[in-house]
C-alpha cells in the first residue's frame, strides 16, 4: 500500500473510530446498556420481542397504535400487489402512482390547504423545502430545539441563521424586528419531539405577521392527534389560515413512513420542481403511501382514538408524577420523563427493561445538556392490565433510582 494511502487510512481512522461519539457508543455497549439497536419483533401494537423476551413497548412514536392495525396493514399489502414494492423512480419521472396523488389531495383537504406534496421521509421534506424557500440573502429564525432536519435544511439553504431561545416569543420578536431580510422564515415544531412542550403558536404567528415573516410549522408530533379530528396544532389554535407552510410526517400517527408539506397550490408547485430531496430521491413506496392514507381514513372516522391517546397520556403523567417522576408533554399524547443526566437515563432505561418495559432514552447531544430524558408514549391500544404493569415497573425503578425523581440533584433541578 502506498504511503499516501496509509496516511489516508490514518486520517479516516481518526474520523470514524476515534471520535467523541463513537467512544461514547463503545462505553455504552461495554456497560451492557445497548438494547436499542437490536432487532425487535413487534407483537401486536403494544409489545415487542428482543432476544426472545417479550416487553411492553412504550418507546416508539406509534402514537395511535395504528402501525399494526389490520386495515392499515392490509392497505399496504394491496398497494404492493397493485403497484409493486417500489416505484424505482423519482416522483417527477415515472415514480408517481395514483395513491400518491390521492394521499396529497386528501391531506390538503384534511389541513384546509389548497395542495400538498408527499416526500419519502419527513426528514427529506424539511431539508428539501427549506432551501427551496430561502437562500443566501434571507433570514431563518429557528427555535433552539427544533428537530435536526430543520437545522440541516436551514444550513443547506445558506440563509442567515437566527437561533431563537426555546419557545421565547420575545426573543423571536427582537430578532425579527432587528433584521431587514427580504424573506424571513420562522421555523418551529408544534410539539417538541423529545421534551413534549407545545409552541406558543398564536403568539408566534402574531409576531411573524407584525414583522413580515412567514411561519413554517413542523407538526410531526401534532398532526393526526392534536386538535379537531387530529388536524394538528394549527387547527387546534385557530391559526391554520395564517400559516403558509405546514409540514408533517407519516412516521408517527400515520403508521407509515414519509412526510409532506401543505400550503397554497403555487407553493406546492414550486416545491415539486425546486425541493431537491423531492426531485432527486426515489418516490415514497406505494405500500407506505397506502398505509398513510388508510391511517388518515381511520383517524378521521374515529377521532376517539386520538382523544384516548391524549387522555391516556394525561392519566399516565398524573400517576408517574405522584411517584415523583418529572414528566413533560402536558396537553399532548407524549409523556417524556425528565431525568437530567445521560448515564442515569441509560440506567433507568435498563432497569425499566429488566421490569419488562421498553422506553427510549434521549440523551445529549440529541437533547440539550442536562435535559436527558426518556421518551415514553402510551398508545391507546394499551390494555388496562398493561397500563398497570407499566406503572408497577416505574414504581419499582423509582425505588432503585431515587436520584432520578423530583427534588433530586443539580441536573434534575435544571429540567424541572
Ligand atoms: C419534529 C420532527 N420533524 C421531522 C422528523 C423527521 O421525520 P421522519 O422520521 O419521517 O424522517 C421528525 C422525526 O422524528 C420529527 O420529530
Amino acid at each position: 500500500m502506498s504511503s499516501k494511502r496509509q496516511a489516508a487510512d490514518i486520517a479516516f481512522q481518526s474520523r470514524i473510530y476515534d471520535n467523541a461519539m463513537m467512544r461514547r457508543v463503545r462505553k455504552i455497549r461495554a456497560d451492557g446498556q445497548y438494547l436499542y439497536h437490536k432487532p425487535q419483533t413487534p407483537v401486536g401494537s403494544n409489545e415487542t420481542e428482543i432476544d426472545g423476551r417479550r416487553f411492553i413497548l412504550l418507546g416508539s412514536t406509534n402514537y395511535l397504535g395504528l402501525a399494526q392495525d389490520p386495515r392499515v396493514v392490509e392497505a399496504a399489502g394491496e398497494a404492493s400487489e397493485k403497484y409493486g414494492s417500489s416505484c424505482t423512480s423519482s416522483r417527477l419521472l415515472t415514480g408517481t402512482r395514483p395513491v400518491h396523488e390521492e394521499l396529497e389531495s386528501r391531506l390538503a383537504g384534511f389541513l384546509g390547504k389548497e395542495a400538498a406534496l408527499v416526500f419519502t421521509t419527513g426528514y427529506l421534506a424539511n431539508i428539501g423545502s427549506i432551501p427551496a424557500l430561502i437562500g443566501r440573502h434571507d433570514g431563518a429564525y429557528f427555535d433552539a430545539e427544533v428537530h435536526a432536519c430543520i437545522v440541516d435544511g436551514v444550513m443547506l439553504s445558506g440563509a442567515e441563521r437566527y437561533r431563537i431561545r426555546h419557545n421565547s416569543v420575545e426573543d423571536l420578536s427582537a430578532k425579527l424586528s432587528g433584521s431587514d431580510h427580504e424573506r424571513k422564515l420562522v421555523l418551529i415544531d408544534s410539539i417538541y419531539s423529545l421534551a413534549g412542550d407545545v409552541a406558543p403558536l398564536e403568539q408566534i404567528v402574531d409576531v411573524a405577521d407584525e414583522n413580515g415573516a412567514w411561519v413554517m410549522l413542523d407538526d410531526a408530533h401534532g398532526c393526526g392527534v392534536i386538535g379537531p379530528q387530529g388536524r394538528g396544532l394549527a387547527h387546534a389554535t385557530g391559526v391554520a389560515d395564517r400559516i403558509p407552510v405546514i409540514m408533517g410526517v407519516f412516521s408517527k400517527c400515520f403508521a407509515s413512513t414519509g412526510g409532506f408539506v401543505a400550503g397554497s397550490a403555487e407553493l406546492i408547485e414550486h416545491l415539486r420542481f425546486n425541493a431537491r430531496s423531492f426531485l432527486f430521491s426515489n418516490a415514497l413506496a406505494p405500500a407506505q403511501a397506502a398505509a398513510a392514507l388508510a391511517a388518515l381514513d381511520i383517524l378521521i372516522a374515529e377521532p376517539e382514538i386520538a382523544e384516548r391517546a391524549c387522555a391516556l397520556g394525561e392519566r399516565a403523567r398524573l400517576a408517574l408524577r405522584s411517584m415523583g417522576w418529572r414528566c413533560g408533554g402536558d396537553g399532548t399524547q407524549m409523556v417524556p420523563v425528565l431525568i437530567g443526566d445521560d448515564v442515569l437515563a441509560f440506567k433507568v432505561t435498563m432497569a425499566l427493561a429488566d421490569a419488562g418495559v421498553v422506553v427510549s432514552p434521549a440523551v445529549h447531544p440529541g437533547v440539550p445538556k442536562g435535559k436527558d430524558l426518556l421518551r415514553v408514549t402510551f398508545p391507546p391500544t394499551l390494555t388496562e392490565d398493561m397500563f398497570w404493569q407499566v406503572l408497577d415497573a416505574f414504581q419499582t425503578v423509582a425505588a432503585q433510582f431515587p436520584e432520578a425523581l423530583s427534588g433530586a440533584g443539580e441536573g434534575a433541578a435544571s429540567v424541572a
Side-chain angles (χ1 to χ4, degrees), residues 61 120-124 126 146-150 189-194 218-221 247-252 256-259 375:
T61 50
T120 308
T121 68
Y123 192 98
L124 289 172
N126 274 334
V146 286
H147 192 266
C149 56
I150 295 184
D189 287 9
S190 57
I191 303 171
Y192 283 83
S193 57
L194 293 165
D218 179 332
D219 204 9
H221 297 270
M247 177 269 174
V249 304
F250 302 137
S251 51
K252 307 186 191 313
S256 183
T257 286
R375 165 178 272 168

Side-chain angles (χ1 to χ4, degrees), residues 246-267:
I246 297 183
M247 177 269 174
V249 304
F250 302 137
S251 51
K252 307 186 191 313
C253 292
F254 292 82
S256 183
T257 286
F260 65 87
V261 174
S264 70
E266 219 171 25
L267 167 80

